[in-house]
Amino acid sequence: MLQYSGLGDVIGNAVASMSLPLVVLAFIVAALVRICVGSATVVMTMAAGIVAAIPGIGDLSPLYLACTTAAVAGGATVCSHFNDSGFWLVKSLVGMDEKTTLKTWTIMETLVGATGFVVALILSFFA
């Protein structure tokens, strides 16, 4: 379904023209896919495929690649909302309504993902 939707092509073409560090680019790609798709597993797989296709990625240091991987994981964590099964699971298990789940779970997940990205970005400066 993702292939037929053209989401990968749209994101791939958009990021091809950006001149950002790979770690930042990986986070943005993963976050955009996360918002569109919802599933963190699908997001990480799709974002990793897009980032892995960038020319010259094989020449980077192992530490920089680890930071890029952490940035993908951070982007795949942010913005958990109605299209994420985790959102509905937390809502049901805790007994919250949708508005409260957005105010708590979604914000907490976004803070976790953003913090992971910031740590990966800082570490990437030393790679």
Side-chain angles (χ1 to χ4, degrees), residues 23-79:
V23 173
V24 175
L25 191 66
F27 177 80
I28 291 171
V29 167
L32 288 173
V33 176
R34 170 70 164 180
I35 292 166
C36 295
V37 174
S39 168
T41 305
V42 173
V43 170
M44 285 189 275
T45 304
M46 189 172 183
I50 293 170
V51 171
I54 295 174
I57 196 162
D59 300 331
L60 299 172
S61 72
L63 177 58
Y64 197 86
L65 291 174
C67 292
T68 304
T69 303
V72 167
T77 306
V78 301
C79 299

Side-chain angles (χ1 to χ4, degrees), residues 27 70-71 73-75 77-78 108-118:
F27 177 80
T77 306
V78 301
M108 185 272 305
E109 285 282 283
T110 302
L111 287 172
V112 167
T115 301
F117 165 65
V118 169

Side-chain angles (χ1 to χ4, degrees), residues 2-4 6 15 18 22 40 58 68 82 97 103 105 113:
L2 292 173
Q3 185 177 11
Y4 292 123
V15 299
M18 294 182 186
L22 185 60
T68 304
F82 299 115
D97 61 354
K103 288 180 177 180
W105 175 256

Side-chain angles (χ1 to χ4, degrees), residues 6 11-12 14 38 40 43 69 73 86 91 102 105 116 123:
I11 293 174
V43 170
T69 303
K91 176 203 167 300
L102 280 169
W105 175 256
L123 290 175

